[in-house]
Amino acid sequence: MSAHVINGKELVGAYRAEIKQQVERLAERGVKPGLAVVIVGDDPASHVYVRNKNRACEEAGIHSEVYKLAEETTEGELLALIGKLNADQAIHGILVQSPLPKHIDEERIVEAIAVEKDVDCFHPVNVGNLMIGKPGPAPCTPAGVIEILKKVGVEIAGKHAVVIGRSNIVGKPMGILLLRENATVTVCHSRTKDLAAITSQADILVAAIGKPKVIKREHVKPGAVVIDVGVNRLDTGKLSGDVDFDDVVDAASVITPVPGVVGPMTITILLRNTLEAAERAAGVSVSS
């Protein structure tokens, strides 16, 4: 029997409608959430992501500002812009699009963003809060995966979840968020021996390694829930996930196609994080 293929348009559309209603309720209290997105250079993929984020903000009623800076922008100039946005009371979230040009220290830029406006949850303080379970934003992609699982009715507590990948952006925080949902978590990576032996034990399998179609049927336990975070461009120009969808779809019980689910949900969590940052700044709550 083929897996239930998650309908990203339906799932994300319903969630964004909820967020839009919450934004409207906050606006009734005189607060409009604001997000500033900064992009440096001409990376084509980054510009696509920024356009998608800006469009999503507009649809949700969130004030959006996009700063497009030249490749030769200095680190000092970027830091000065971040300082200005930190002080702007109309901006509740700041996102600096990665990757940055090589002459700019990305770590220094992340740490310059005010903790309360770090809607990507990359600042060391927010990462630490995430680790110990304190309130605050969660990284958009891992938090989006949790939201997908919940909204399609997957029970997480007590399940064995395997995360493939240990990046600071997805793999590590994904493991933490699954632990917070009371899953038993295993993290696999490039040094893991006999990957299939481990992943085939997973009730929930999250692939986030950035290599096209490496996860095959042999890696998947029959009936497992498979979440594909990877987005890879093939030589044909088409996009592919880390999971070989055609090979796995008949083994899994639930699966996400690529593209169309995790990417749009990631942007949706960015909207949620911005909304919640605005709530905290105003000392009110409309999303609980």
Side-chain angles (χ1 to χ4, degrees), residues 3-9 11 148-149 152 154 225-227 245 254-257 260-261:
H4 165 62
V5 180
I6 295 175
N7 185 324
K9 186 175 182 180
L11 184 72
I148 290 166
L149 292 171
V152 299
V154 174
V225 175
V226 179
I227 306 294
F245 183 90
V254 177
I255 191 169
T256 58
V261 182

Side-chain angles (χ1 to χ4, degrees), residues 58-274:
E58 291 176 354
E59 292 172 353
I62 292 174
H63 171 64
S64 177
E65 297 180 3
V66 178
Y67 295 84
K68 299 179 181 178
L69 307 182
E71 179 84 17
E72 58 270 19
T73 297
T74 67
E75 185 175 289
E77 289 169 334
L78 180 54
L79 288 169
L81 173 59
I82 291 171
K84 176 185 173 184
L85 295 172
N86 282 341
D88 188 342
Q89 295 185 1
I91 296 298
H92 304 96
I94 302 171
L95 184 154
V96 178
Q97 185 68 39
S98 181
L100 289 170
K102 293 181 179 180
H103 64 277
I104 295 177
D105 184 340
E106 195 154 336
E107 187 173 311
R108 188 178 181 194
I109 298 304
V110 166
E111 294 180 3
I113 297 172
V115 171
E116 66 274 14
K117 297 189 179 188
D118 169 38
V119 286
D120 257 339
C121 191
F122 289 166
H123 194 286
V125 170
N126 283 327
V127 173
N129 287 339
L130 180 76
M131 173 66 76
I132 62 177
K134 290 185 69 174
C140 297
T141 297
V145 170
I146 296 294
E147 202 63 44
I148 290 166
L149 292 171
K150 290 182 175 180
K151 288 191 177 298
V152 299
V154 174
E155 183 179 349
I156 305 174
K159 298 296 178 66
H160 183 195
V162 174
V163 179
I164 313 174
R166 55 178 170 178
S167 71
N168 291 334
I169 296 174
V170 180
K172 291 177 184 176
M174 186 77 258
I176 294 168
L177 290 180
L178 285 163
L179 282 171
R180 281 170 52 168
E181 297 295 331
N182 298 309
T184 298
V185 180
T186 301
V187 178
C188 298
H189 46 78
S190 59
R191 300 293 181 89
T192 298
K193 296 181 179 180
D194 200 354
L195 181 66
I198 299 173
T199 61
S200 60
Q201 300 177 39
D203 302 305
I204 300 170
L205 182 62
V206 181
I209 49 178
K211 295 182 180 180
K213 300 186 179 184
V214 296
I215 303 305
K216 308 287 186 181
R217 181 185 291 259
E218 68 189 65
H219 295 91
V220 178
K221 176 182 178 180
V225 175
V226 179
I227 306 294
D228 193 349
V229 177
V231 180
N232 310 283
R233 191 167 295 279
L234 303 175
D235 293 338
T236 60
K238 292 184 178 181
L239 295 178
S240 166
D242 294 344
V243 176
D244 188 333
F245 183 90
D246 293 336
D247 195 43
V248 169
V249 68
D250 290 335
S253 61
V254 177
I255 191 169
T256 58
V258 174
V261 182
V262 174
M265 183 58 83
T266 295
I267 294 176
T268 305
I269 299 299
L270 175 66
L271 303 180
R272 187 186 74 182
N273 285 354
T274 303

